[in-house]
Amino acid sequence: IPGQTWRVHDADRPHPPVVDPGPAMASAPAPKDAIVLFGGKPEDLAQWTSGGGDAKWRVVDGALEVNGSGDVQTREDFGDCQLHLEWASPAEVAGTSQGRGNSGVFFFGRYEVQILDSFDNVTYADGQAAALYGQFPPLVNACRGPGEWQSYDIVFAAPRFDGEGKLLAPARITVIHNGFVVQAQRELLGGTAHRSEPRYEAHGPTGPIRLQD
């Protein structure tokens, strides 16, 4: 990884300390000026697309549930933004490491904040919950148990490129996981990917927010 002594997904990289975030609290109403991308109703799926068509995830008890139909992404594009996301991994534990409750939220479809059941689940440090995938582990592991609701509050600043595609300023991300600051104004090294060195490719000032199947 550029600027680090670690390889991508290095098994020897130290794991962040585990902290207890306490029980999940009831969600507060969205701010009045917020764009609500999913509010718990089946018709809210109209704001999402998959593979160029309609999103086919299920709506179960007011939540979107992954069902193997592919990633979903917003129809609307965003640049700099603040995102509030609530998620829960399956209550029934199956699998280990990356095979357990694995998803992710991508800005511009390419900069991932990892979603994973990291409760008593050892995996590579830069791939656990709230990691900037393949680049930076979270400062602490603030995961609740399987089936419990968790929250991310993410402040994302998009990268800037000049007219010739040269990087002027990298993307920056702050992540608050269950009330703990786990990424603080972290500069991304480029797009996130599995087992490959990050790099930037020029793109426009806005892009979709994608949720991984």
Side-chain angles (χ1 to χ4, degrees):
I1 302 175
Q4 302 183 28
T5 59
W6 307 105
R7 296 180 178 177
V8 178
H9 311 325
D10 198 324
D12 294 327
R13 189 168 192 169
H15 291 90
V18 176
V19 295
D20 182 359
M25 307 293 287
S27 299
K32 290 185 178 180
D33 63 343
I35 298 172
V36 179
L37 296 172
F38 180 75
K41 301 177 181 178
E43 54 265 33
D44 294 336
L45 268 177
Q47 298 191 73
W48 297 82
T49 183
S50 179
D54 294 336
K56 295 180 175 61
W57 286 16
R58 297 196 304 161
V59 178
V60 180
D61 296 330
L64 278 177
E65 186 176 274
V66 177
N67 61 2
S69 61
D71 295 359
V72 299
Q73 67 180 36
T74 56
R75 294 186 185 275
E76 187 174 352
D77 287 344
F78 300 91
D80 299 345
C81 61
Q82 177 179 337
L83 177 69
H84 176 77
L85 174 73
E86 298 175 6
W87 60 274
S89 61
E92 182 178 343
V93 174
T96 59
S97 186
Q98 294 292 298
R100 201 170 118 180
N102 189 332
S103 185
V105 54
F106 292 77
F107 297 87
F108 286 77
R110 67 185 73 200
Y111 307 112
E112 182 186 9
V113 178
Q114 172 74 317
I115 293 173
L116 189 79
D117 178 3
S118 291
F119 186 84
D120 285 341
N121 179 32
V122 177
T123 190
Y124 44 83
D126 60 13
Q128 71 172 69
L132 304 185
Y133 189 73
Q135 298 184 26
F136 297 101
L139 294 174
V140 296
N141 178 351
C143 264
R144 295 192 175 102
E148 296 186 64
W149 282 101
Q150 317 205 37
S151 67
Y152 282 170
D153 286 281
I154 303 171
V155 180
F156 176 79
R160 267 56 173 177
F161 302 91
D162 67 14
E164 296 180 351
K166 179 181 178 182
L167 180 69
L168 298 176
R172 290 178 176 268
I173 294 186
T174 294
V175 181
I176 301 171
H177 181 196
N178 292 335
F180 288 87
V181 177
V182 295
Q183 307 282 356
Q185 283 289 300
R186 184 75 76 180
E187 289 188 0
L188 279 162
L189 304 174
T192 57
H194 182 63
R195 292 196 180 280
S196 62
E197 185 175 320
R199 59 188 178 90
Y200 278 100
E201 295 180 354
H203 55 73
T206 62
I209 295 172
R210 176 160 58 92
L211 301 178
Q212 185 180 19
D213 191 337

